[in-house]
Amino acid sequence: AQSVAQPEDQVNVAEGNPLTVKCTYSVSGNPYLFWYVQYPNRGLQFLLKYITGDNLVKGSYGFEAEFNKSQTSFHLKKPSALVSDSALYFCAVSGGGGYNKLIFGAGTRLAVHP
Amino acid sequence: DGGITQSPKYLFRKEGQNVTLSCEQNLNHDAMYWYRQDPGQGLRLIYYSQIVNDFQKGDIAEGYSVSREKKESFPLTVTSAQKNPTAFYLCASSIEGQGGQPQHFGDGTRLSIL
């Protein structure tokens, strides 16, 4: 069965410091991996995805993610955090196949302090 | 601007009442999805539709019903059989129901019990 784990409920980082939000996955076959961000009382916004190719994926708002097949991880990173990055972040995986069913992690709340 | 519109933003349900949540998209996407979001649990799939006049149950379909009579519209009915309907409901769509395509989300409907 497909699953996604986000081991940290909350990540705290100072503004200007690098941030990492962790994600590990379990899926049979080649995974399609996604990161989304959610601001309060809003829907999810797509940040980036990994389908195939380069293990380092660049996305919106300066975010990037590194796919590591041996560790089954897809951690979200940003070199310099902004207070406005504070939000809820979701990792999701799709195992491909017949349709685009996404399995979401429980989410990680990122708090960037001035 | 293209996007997904969910209405109403807030909805209150009385005991024994059915309520319908609206989801409209003008992205010309084939596939549409309904998710339920509860605190600390991520998103769970209720129903999805890959094409007009066809839809499939997701992981938590009991107590919910949908229709897909038009490509643009995918309304969700929360029936009286759903005993714990209080949640944030998110509608999404994607280009096609195949893996690898990011889903685009509306801004949600928050349903509460009176």
Side-chain angles (χ1 to χ4, degrees), chain A residues 36 38 41 43 49 99-101, chain B residues 37 59 97 100-101 103 106:
Chain A
Y36 288 85
Q38 185 181 34
N41 295 311
K49 69 178 181 180
Y99 81 102
N100 195 18
K101 179 178 180 179
Chain B
Q37 184 178 17
D59 300 317
Q101 297 296 332
Q103 293 181 14

Side-chain angles (χ1 to χ4, degrees), chain A residues 50-62:
Chain A
Y50 172 83
I51 304 300
T52 186
D54 194 346
N55 289 343
L56 185 63
V57 179
K58 294 189 182 296
S60 306
Y61 313 119

Side-chain angles (χ1 to χ4, degrees), chain A residues 32 34 36 38 41-46 49 51 88 90 94 96-107, chain B residues 9 33 35 37 40-43 45 48 50 59 88 90 94 96-103 105-107 110:
Chain A
Y32 299 144
F34 303 81
Y36 288 85
Q38 185 181 34
N41 295 311
R42 300 295 301 274
L44 275 65
Q45 296 179 31
F46 169 70
K49 69 178 181 180
I51 304 300
L88 188 57
F90 289 99
S94 169
Y99 81 102
N100 195 18
K101 179 178 180 179
L102 290 180
I103 304 297
F104 286 86
Chain B
K9 193 169 181 64
Y33 314 82
Y35 293 93
Q37 184 178 17
Q41 293 192 41
L43 278 67
L45 182 65
Y48 66 97
Q50 292 182 268
D59 300 317
F88 191 49
L90 288 164
S94 64
E96 56 182 328
Q98 299 299 316
Q101 297 296 332
Q103 293 181 14
F105 286 80
D107 276 340
R110 190 168 297 280

Side-chain angles (χ1 to χ4, degrees), chain B residues 22-70:
Chain B
S22 171
C23 178
E24 303 278 333
Q25 55 100 356
N26 61 4
L27 299 168
N28 200 32
H29 286 172
D30 292 306
M32 297 187 74
Y33 314 82
W34 274 106
Y35 293 93
R36 170 179 171 140
Q37 184 178 17
D38 295 283
Q41 293 192 41
L43 278 67
R44 293 181 290 169
L45 182 65
I46 305 172
Y47 269 97
Y48 66 97
S49 168
Q50 292 182 268
I51 196 169
V52 174
N53 292 322
D54 185 57
F55 48 83
Q56 306 294 330
K57 292 182 179 180
D59 300 317
I60 55 165
E62 186 174 352
Y64 300 97
S65 66
V66 293
S67 62
R68 187 86 187 276
E69 297 177 1
K70 299 187 299 182

